[in-house]
Amino acid sequence: MSRPRVEVCFTPNLYPLHIEDEYEIVVAIDVLRATSAICAAFEHGVSKIIPVSTLDEAIEYRDNGYIVAAERKGQIVSGFDLGNSPYSYMDPKYKGKTIVLTTTNGTRAINTAKHVNDLIIGSLVNLDAVCKYLSDLNKSVLLLGSGWKNKFCLEDTICAGAIAENLLKTGNFHSENDSSIAAKYLYLSASENYFGFLKASSHRRRLRDLNLNEDIKYCLTPNQTNVVPIREKNYLIKA
Ligand code: 3SL
């Protein structure tokens, strides 16, 4: 039997080129900060997250009484309850609740992969749990970086490279694309010191300028949770 593939797609606009290869599962990755915040939310008891791409959809949910989180330009959109800081989802008042979330890139990436049956959420904070989940599943997997407005992002690529390298090391997966080789080598260069490696990266600078250093630290610290958020219908839950 042939081994399943693991490949890396750098940004959502490249996704249509990759799905011709018919992957069975997609991992949406937005290390800074959406998928890290989603993991933090489930780790702290949030029961469902509904990812939406646009502010209009978010407003519609808000008008129907939902708790809605909205981030644009790294900040909470005025008129919304929450933004995209992982720490804000740790508040016990959100335990057992459903939260609607829209972010600049992360929720768009999740919704870009609408037509694949299985989608999970990956980040550095749940790295080992995601690798184990995918390794046990043994299906072909596409690692989808959120990027920044469809531009390449180092942190998402490094995380995708870490997942790819872990799966390839088992000997049960193979990859063919140069994007996967590049992601793997970026990960190997960064893995000793994510903070140092990403120091000059565009998104880290963007968040640092907003005084979000604590968020950056949280998001770049691997394996803080074992949760693997999965998509069911139009929402995410803990696997
Ligand atoms: O783009 C996104 O989805 C966000 O994670 C961006 S930010 O970290 O909130 O700036």
Side-chain angles (χ1 to χ4, degrees):
M1 209 178 75
S2 70
R3 291 170 301 159
R5 272 175 86 168
V6 53
E7 303 289 2
V8 176
C9 173
F10 293 140
T11 56
N13 63 338
L14 295 172
Y15 181 76
L17 306 177
H18 284 267
I19 48 159
E20 287 171 5
D21 294 326
E22 294 183 2
Y23 296 92
E24 291 163 286
I25 180 161
V26 168
V27 183
I29 300 169
D30 185 21
V31 171
L32 294 174
R33 294 171 292 170
T35 57
S36 304
I38 290 169
C39 291
F42 286 117
E43 171 69 18
H44 289 82
V46 167
S47 74
K48 266 188 203 171
I49 293 185
I50 305 175
V52 299
S53 303
T54 66
L55 282 174
D56 284 345
E57 292 167 274
I59 289 166
E60 206 174 315
Y61 274 103
R62 188 188 62 189
D63 292 348
N64 283 304
Y66 282 81
I67 301 169
V68 183
E71 168 278 328
R72 290 294 182 271
K73 299 183 181 162
Q75 290 173 304
I76 303 180
V77 179
S78 90
F80 287 89
D81 304 304
L82 279 163
N84 199 19
S85 168
Y87 288 104
S88 51
Y89 295 90
M90 298 177 188
D91 190 321
K93 74 178 177 201
Y94 297 122
K95 257 197 175 149
K97 301 280 196 247
T98 295
I99 298 178
V100 177
L101 171 66
T102 181
T103 71
T104 311
N105 305 286
T107 55
R108 283 197 187 163
I110 295 168
N111 291 330
T112 294
K114 264 216 156 81
H115 304 294
V116 68
N117 271 346
D118 291 322
L119 177 135
I120 67 171
I121 298 300
S123 216
L124 289 174
V125 297
N126 69 344
L127 180 62
D128 284 356
V130 165
C131 293
K132 181 169 182 338
Y133 184 94
L134 294 170
S135 173
D136 291 349
L137 203 65
N138 207 43
K139 287 183 174 175
S140 61
V141 51
L142 183 66
L143 307 166
L144 171 62
S146 298
W148 180 264
K149 298 186 177 170
N150 278 321
K151 288 184 181 152
F152 176 90
C153 261
L154 267 179
E155 66 278 5
D156 296 340
T157 307
I158 286 167
C159 181
I163 299 170
E165 168 64 354
N166 270 278
L167 295 181
L168 292 169
K169 261 191 345 211
T170 64
N172 298 329
F173 288 78
H174 80 287
S175 74
E176 296 171 17
N177 290 351
D178 288 0
S179 55
S180 310
I181 299 171
K184 175 179 140 176
Y185 283 112
L186 277 173
Y187 157 66
L188 292 173
S189 310
S191 59
E192 293 292 306
N193 181 0
Y194 293 119
F195 291 94
F197 194 88
L198 291 167
K199 204 167 184 169
S201 70
S202 55
H203 200 47
R204 198 179 152 183
R205 267 187 285 122
R206 201 174 292 121
L207 293 178
R208 206 168 36 211
D209 291 347
L210 294 168
N211 285 322
L212 293 170
N213 286 321
E214 287 310 307
D215 283 16
I216 299 172
K217 270 192 217 152
Y218 177 84
C219 296
L220 298 186
T221 305
N223 299 319
Q224 301 187 64
T225 171
N226 285 324
V227 302
V228 178
I230 59 169
R231 183 170 64 195
E232 229 182 60
K233 300 180 186 145
N234 68 335
Y235 54 82
L236 303 167
I237 52 167
K238 198 161 136 176

